[in-house]
Amino acid sequence: MRVSVDQNLCYGSADCVHRVGSVFTTVDGFGAVIPGREDTGDDPRVREAAEQCPSQAISITDGE
């Protein structure tokens, strides 16, 4: 499962970074997935971060 952050939806709360700093970071003040960590969508903490994202900018999708 792949995780991504839609930069058009994110408003920079950094909630994802506080929840799972090993997967998420900020770039120019907005949430982003750390390069190489895109395939962590199966992690329950990542799923929780997606569910709790205040701007609903985090997506978890199947594979490719």
Side-chain angles (χ1 to χ4, degrees):
M1 303 294 279
R2 292 186 61 82
V3 61
S4 61
V5 177
D6 184 333
Q7 296 293 304
N8 294 317
L9 294 176
C10 180
Y11 56 74
S13 72
D15 188 61
C16 56
V17 177
H18 295 293
R19 289 178 183 274
V20 197
S22 62
V23 174
F24 299 101
T25 188
T26 56
V27 175
D28 296 329
F30 298 100
V33 178
I34 295 171
R37 303 292 293 165
E38 297 88 358
D39 291 327
T40 58
D42 288 329
D43 183 326
R45 298 172 306 141
V46 173
R47 290 186 167 280
E48 181 179 348
E51 291 169 5
Q52 299 299 318
C53 177
S55 61
Q56 297 297 296
I58 302 172
S59 297
I60 297 175
T61 57
D62 286 331
E64 309 96 60

